[in-house]
Amino acid sequence: MARLVIVSNRVPIPKSRGATAGGLAVALRDLLIPGSMWFGWSGRLAAEPASQPSLVEARGVTYATVDLTAEAHRSFYIGFANGALWPLLHFRLGLMHFRREDYAGYLAVNESFAASLGQVVKSDDTVWVHDYHVIPFGRMLREQGFAGPLGFFLHVPFVPPSVLEAMPVARDLVADLCAYDVVGFQTEEHARDFRDCAQRMLGATVDGEWIRLNGRRMRVFADPIGIDAEGFARDAGRAANDKLVQRVAGSLAGRALIVGVDRMDYSKGLPQRFEAFGRLLEKHPEHRRRIHFLQICPRSREEVDEYRKLRIDLDRLAGRINGKFSEFDWTPLRYSARAAPRMTLAGLYRLGRIGVVTPLRDGMNLVAKEFIAAQPDEDPGVLVLSRFAGAAHELTEALVVNPFDPDAIADAMHLALTMPAGERKERHAALKAKVFLTTAQVYCRRFLDALAARSLVQAAA
């Protein structure tokens, strides 16, 4: 079999200091068999970038990493990837800060990544590139002489041409994505938007999932990412013995738990969610003293101004809600900016009567699927889900809401709290079947099968 090489911005080396198993690492876990490779940034800043990647082997997998200089990190990661691309792809044009020098730094880092991998990649490798940080990487790896199968998957949303055109280098980004053999998106809507961009900006010919441009054919399709549903369900059951889960369960004193878990990011709709909880307590006073809302939102990208402002806004909203509604023996909203271990999260989901997943825009949002997998069949909770999360295209039995409408979220919370057990079980059974069908393993296999099929077509041609 050909070796699989995964490329992403960060490389999660097992047991390395400060490394955590993020969503991508968990999703791709089954692919990390002995002989495979994961390439990307080490997470370290250095005075001078190394000329060759650093290689570490763990459990038979090679982790190839490169350091970045502080200036390269600032322009590539903070400046363009998260200051321009992230808000653009989440429909937040007012937060997009484009600077030509940041884009130049973005291209330079991708060029250095391609040059570094070019030193260790083999001609018969299969290369799978992940996410918006490394869009130009594929074209640049081709320029290094790599001719093997080359795929790309975008984990965040994509936007229609009318939005993408706000980015001054939009045409270049679309052309770079067209350099891959296969490009995958979370939903058919995102895939269709990209095909429309290729047709409108580059004059490409579109035929179903296929794009023809400059004599090449590439496939663009939807491949929704999933989770290890069986494993997560087992973790949720075992987490009953987790000390933190036990403390939270004991502190509820029989009250219902509303739980939300998100990175502290302006795309997650956290201020609207907090406001919705306040509206619930105001409009439905019968729920006071009978519920707790636990929001876990670990801090991220604090070097970006918008994220620091978000933290201040959430502190203010939490204080206002607790100041207005709390009593001597009841604090309605608990809000923590500290990360929790995966096992603990599974146990907290299992405790939840309501899971609140209300991003303003999201590629998929695996928290929604984890909440479903963690729920007990005999007494399941209810998922309140944003219509603008990719998961809403699959999880239609959730209570789907407009995340920009706090009153709609509050009404859905009330409906979930008063929903009869029979309806909760019926909805959960349908949602669980979907989560256990479209798993992480299915996601990986479908993409690699598409990439293998495309490679066979090219070889035959």
Side-chain angles (χ1 to χ4, degrees):
M1 291 179 61
R3 179 177 68 164
L4 177 64
V5 178
I6 296 167
V7 177
S8 64
N9 174 48
R10 288 293 297 271
V11 176
I13 302 175
K15 297 183 179 180
S16 66
R17 193 174 186 83
T20 58
L24 181 59
V26 173
L28 302 182
R29 182 169 50 199
D30 287 347
L31 298 180
L32 297 177
I33 60 175
S36 57
M37 173 183 284
W38 197 322
F39 174 87
W41 178 40
S42 64
R44 296 187 299 267
L45 299 180
E48 295 291 336
S51 59
Q52 293 185 333
S54 173
L55 303 181
V56 174
E57 187 170 310
R59 301 167 193 160
V61 177
T62 300
Y63 295 87
T65 61
V66 292
D67 299 341
L68 292 178
T69 65
E71 176 56 29
H73 177 259
R74 192 211 61 75
S75 59
F76 155 71
Y77 183 77
I78 301 173
F80 188 75
N82 289 306
L85 266 184
W86 177 270
L88 170 76
L89 296 175
H90 287 83
F91 291 73
R92 301 297 297 274
L93 293 182
L95 298 178
M96 185 180 78
H97 302 295
F98 174 82
R99 301 195 316 163
R100 287 280 172 181
E101 52 266 43
D102 289 339
Y103 180 59
Y106 176 77
L107 292 177
V109 168
N110 273 271
E111 185 77 58
S112 69
F113 279 6
S116 294
L117 183 61
Q119 299 178 53
V120 294
V121 73
K122 301 175 183 176
S123 60
D124 60 346
D125 284 343
T126 293
V127 178
W128 188 5
V129 183
H130 289 265
D131 231 358
Y132 61 100
H133 312 85
V134 282
I135 288 173
F137 178 88
R139 169 179 61 82
M140 294 171 174
L141 188 65
R142 290 291 193 217
E143 292 170 355
Q144 292 288 325
F146 179 72
L150 184 59
F152 180 90
F153 188 84
L154 186 68
H155 291 262
V156 299
F158 200 74
V159 293
S162 58
V163 177
L164 191 68
E165 284 173 333
M167 168 65 73
V169 294
R171 192 177 183 278
D172 294 337
L173 293 170
V174 174
D176 281 339
L177 284 170
C178 286
Y180 292 92
D181 299 317
V182 175
V183 175
F185 294 88
Q186 300 280 20
T187 69
E188 175 55 31
E189 178 186 4
H190 301 156
R192 183 177 62 248
D193 284 341
F194 174 73
R195 292 191 291 262
D196 289 346
C197 286
Q199 185 175 44
R200 178 162 158 176
M201 296 181 185
L202 304 179
T205 301
V206 177
D207 181 13
E209 293 182 342
W210 296 89
I211 289 177
R212 182 178 290 278
L213 179 67
N214 298 328
R216 290 185 67 252
R217 286 182 80 229
M218 61 170 299
R219 185 182 177 192
V220 177
F221 77 125
D223 184 18
I225 195 169
I227 64 171
D228 175 7
E230 290 186 4
F232 200 82
R234 286 194 302 270
D235 286 346
R238 289 198 294 260
N241 297 319
D242 182 277
K243 291 183 179 179
L244 179 56
V245 173
Q246 289 177 339
R247 290 204 304 270
V248 172
S251 69
L252 292 174
R255 298 181 176 99
L257 177 66
I258 303 175
V259 62
V261 177
D262 308 83
R263 279 190 309 105
M264 192 176 290
D265 188 285
Y266 54 74
S267 69
K268 301 302 182 181
L270 294 170
Q272 292 86 346
R273 189 181 307 174
F274 280 21
E275 186 178 350
F277 182 61
R279 298 281 180 91
L280 172 70
L281 298 177
E282 188 174 307
K283 295 169 65 174
H284 300 282
E286 65 271 23
H287 296 310
R288 297 179 192 176
R289 297 182 56 83
R290 295 183 177 180
I291 56 174
H292 277 299
F293 180 17
L294 173 62
Q295 175 65 54
I296 299 173
C297 45
R299 294 184 294 271
S300 69
R301 302 172 187 157
E302 291 188 278
E303 62 271 34
V304 180
D305 286 341
E306 285 77 13
Y307 291 80
R308 291 195 293 266
K309 293 174 184 175
L310 175 61
R311 174 76 186 272
I312 293 171
D313 288 343
L314 294 181
D315 288 345
R316 176 180 54 81
L317 285 168
R320 190 178 73 188
I321 291 169
N322 285 331
K324 183 175 182 179
F325 297 106
S326 64
E327 300 182 20
F328 291 118
D329 60 345
W330 175 62
T331 302
L333 172 59
R334 305 177 190 179
Y335 149 56
S336 174
R338 297 168 60 183
R342 186 173 175 80
M343 177 76 78
T344 299
L345 291 178
L348 294 175
Y349 292 144
R350 191 172 182 85
L351 291 177
R353 174 46 54 93
I354 303 176
V356 187
V357 181
T358 53
L360 304 181
R361 188 73 58 168
D362 225 336
M364 177 53 63
N365 198 301
L366 295 181
V367 170
K369 297 187 175 185
E370 290 172 347
F371 178 81
I372 295 300
Q375 288 297 301
D377 294 336
E378 63 276 9
D379 187 24
V382 179
L383 176 63
V384 176
L385 179 61
S386 165
R387 63 181 294 186
F388 299 121
H393 292 259
E394 296 178 73
L395 306 182
T396 53
E397 291 79 13
L399 297 181
V400 179
V401 298
N402 185 330
F404 293 92
D405 186 351
D407 283 296
I409 301 172
D411 291 343
M413 290 178 177
H414 172 66
L415 180 58
L417 289 167
T418 57
M419 186 179 291
E423 183 179 352
R424 285 191 282 115
K425 290 179 181 179
E426 184 177 344
R427 287 176 180 268
H428 174 67
L431 291 168
K432 182 179 178 180
K434 293 177 179 179
V435 170
F436 276 67
L437 179 65
T438 311
T439 62
Q441 188 176 41
V442 170
Y443 154 77
C444 292
R445 181 46 48 204
R446 182 175 178 184
F447 189 94
L448 291 179
D449 284 349
L451 190 53
R454 178 73 193 109
S455 300
L456 288 174
V457 169
Q458 288 178 319

